[in-house]
Amino acid sequence: MSQTVNKIKKTALSYITKYGYEGTTLKDIAQKVGIKTPSIYSHFNSKEQLFLSIIKDLKVKERESLMKLVLALRKKPIDEVIRAFFYFYTDSSNIASWQVILKQILMHPPASLLQTLRQDFEELEKEISIQLSEFFQIGREEGWIKKEDTEQLISLFFTLIDGLLVEQNLYDSEKYEQRREEVWNLYRDFISQ
């Protein structure tokens, strides 16, 4: 991939994260990169194609991060594994930009992209859910997790991390860390009782 394509994607990601899909223009991206707007069209047929290319790249990065996390947790006790998983997905330095973008866009979706974005988002959640299901099963076998309804545990996990994702933007880091620890303790107590 050329240096110009990388600059275009990096700039577009920054703008889309900050201003949303609709609030981002190819003209703004081109100006920031230092090229003329028509030059973007030599690499991407449309703003939509550029955006979908960025989403594809971010999905690959997310999958790599998930696999590294799972491998790093192989030999840990299950309560530490689930806690690490929870903390990983509630740490802004680990949350891929594409999750933020997808969640933002799913609230105000461009009609032409909605179906593709939903599929991408569902794929990510499915991959995470598979790992969580395995963790919860191990936790039951070890006697740490008492709840039997795996779907309920997964739904609560996603609801909590989504809520914390919003709170990261509302609170200073100290308040956020305190809130995250409180939410983890509630979740841990819920799944282990």
Side-chain angles (χ1 to χ4, degrees):
M1 193 175 331
S2 77
Q3 190 174 13
T4 302
V5 170
N6 284 334
K7 281 182 178 181
I8 291 168
K9 285 183 175 185
K10 185 177 179 179
T11 302
L13 175 60
S14 172
Y15 275 64
I16 292 167
T17 302
K18 188 172 183 178
Y19 303 112
Y21 180 82
E22 296 297 337
T24 299
T25 68
L26 293 179
K27 180 181 176 185
D28 292 337
I29 295 167
Q31 284 178 339
K32 181 74 173 175
V33 172
I35 59 176
K36 295 187 184 301
T37 305
S39 298
I40 292 178
Y41 290 106
S42 67
H43 303 286
F44 302 97
N45 294 330
S46 64
K47 180 174 140 181
E48 183 176 298
Q49 185 190 32
L50 168 59
F51 179 72
L52 292 174
S53 176
I54 292 167
I55 293 295
K56 182 180 176 184
D57 292 349
L58 293 172
K59 281 174 43 180
V60 168
K61 183 179 175 184
E62 180 71 17
R63 282 189 179 98
E64 289 171 358
S65 295
L66 178 60
M67 292 313 300
K68 284 179 187 175
L69 176 64
V70 169
L71 290 173
L73 297 172
R74 278 192 319 228
K75 306 284 184 188
K76 303 275 185 191
I78 196 61
D79 58 322
E80 288 181 33
V81 169
I82 296 172
R83 182 181 194 280
F85 217 67
F86 180 86
Y87 271 73
F88 179 84
Y89 279 102
T90 56
D91 181 343
S92 61
S93 64
N94 294 328
I95 296 172
S97 301
W98 88 276
Q99 288 179 323
V100 175
I101 292 169
L102 280 177
K103 288 177 184 180
Q104 178 187 60
I105 287 178
L106 289 174
M107 293 179 166
H108 306 287
S112 61
L113 296 175
L114 182 57
Q115 188 60 35
T116 301
L117 294 172
R118 280 187 177 153
Q119 289 172 342
D120 288 343
F121 193 71
E122 288 172 6
E123 280 179 32
L124 171 68
E125 284 205 351
K126 183 177 180 181
E127 291 174 23
I128 296 169
S129 295
I130 289 168
Q131 292 301 316
L132 285 171
S133 295
E134 291 175 12
F135 296 156
F136 295 148
Q137 183 58 38
I138 293 167
R140 284 188 200 99
E141 290 168 4
E142 292 181 4
W144 184 70
I145 293 180
K146 307 295 186 216
K147 301 283 186 213
E148 290 296 323
D149 188 341
T150 299
E151 286 304 312
Q152 183 185 54
L153 299 178
I154 290 170
S155 293
L156 183 56
F157 179 88
F158 284 121
T159 300
L160 294 174
I161 66 171
D162 288 347
L164 286 168
L165 179 64
V166 171
E167 289 192 357
Q168 280 183 29
N169 296 314
L170 298 176
Y171 299 117
D172 63 45
S173 60
E174 184 178 326
K175 175 72 173 172
Y176 174 74
E177 289 303 323
Q178 177 186 358
R179 184 66 60 96
R180 182 164 72 154
E181 184 67 22
E182 290 168 356
V183 171
W184 163 251
N185 289 333
L186 289 168
Y187 187 64
R188 181 197 61 222
D189 292 348
F190 177 78
I191 66 176
S192 64
Q193 294 179 9

